[in-house]
Amino acid sequence: MSLQQVVMRLARNSEFPAGDDRQGYVLIAPLTADGHIDLDGWRAQKEHCEVRRFHPDPDERADGLLTHNGSHWRFHYDEDHEGPDEGGFRFGDNVFRPGEYVTITSHGDTPLVFVITEVTPFRPH
């Protein structure tokens, strides 16, 4: 299973009525043909399943790993200054295709909606 690069940008939310293309996440994960995260593919390649939070404020940027426990997917950040782990709401049920929406518990407590703007094959640098 090949890895995909998924770009998610902040959609309209109460604090951001117009959304904000400068805030979001880049997720590297294996996807099934129908756009779901492939659990078996993740197990086989989890060391490559990364997440990067982007933001205009450098203090809000972070990088970590996509983790899975039970039925929950989380973004795990290994440095204290990057903030607590963040959870994806029903990530196992979400379809990761452009135009779809996902909810991420930003900074561990504030659920925000993001729109998927790109899904492309991952090409390591």
Side-chain angles (χ1 to χ4, degrees):
M1 176 76 37
S2 62
L3 295 170
Q4 301 294 309
Q5 178 173 287
V6 179
V7 178
M8 301 171 277
R9 298 180 186 279
L10 188 64
R12 292 185 305 203
N13 287 273
S14 59
E15 286 186 52
F16 299 92
D20 188 348
D21 283 346
R22 302 169 305 150
Q23 296 184 48
Y25 298 86
V26 177
L27 174 65
I28 308 301
L31 300 179
T32 63
D34 62 355
H36 291 90
I37 297 176
D38 183 331
L39 181 57
D40 291 331
W42 173 82
R43 285 182 178 131
Q45 303 181 73
K46 62 183 167 183
E47 69 276 4
H48 301 292
C49 296
E50 302 173 346
V51 63
R52 181 176 54 86
R53 183 174 63 218
F54 60 90
H55 196 282
D57 179 352
D59 291 338
E60 294 293 324
R61 297 176 190 156
D63 58 338
L65 295 172
L66 176 66
T67 63
H68 184 265
N69 187 4
S71 63
H72 301 285
W73 291 98
R74 303 200 52 80
F75 299 160
H76 172 70
Y77 304 111
D78 60 355
E79 297 178 30
D80 289 340
H81 74 275
E82 292 178 324
D85 290 359
E86 298 174 311
F89 180 72
R90 299 181 60 120
F91 258 31
D93 297 331
N94 285 119
V95 174
F96 289 83
R97 289 196 180 126
E100 297 288 338
Y101 291 86
V102 297
T103 300
I104 298 171
T105 307
S106 180
H107 298 295
D109 61 1
T110 307
L112 293 172
V113 177
F114 293 82
V115 62
I116 298 169
T117 58
E118 301 170 45
V119 177
T120 56
F122 174 64
R123 305 213 192 294
H125 302 75

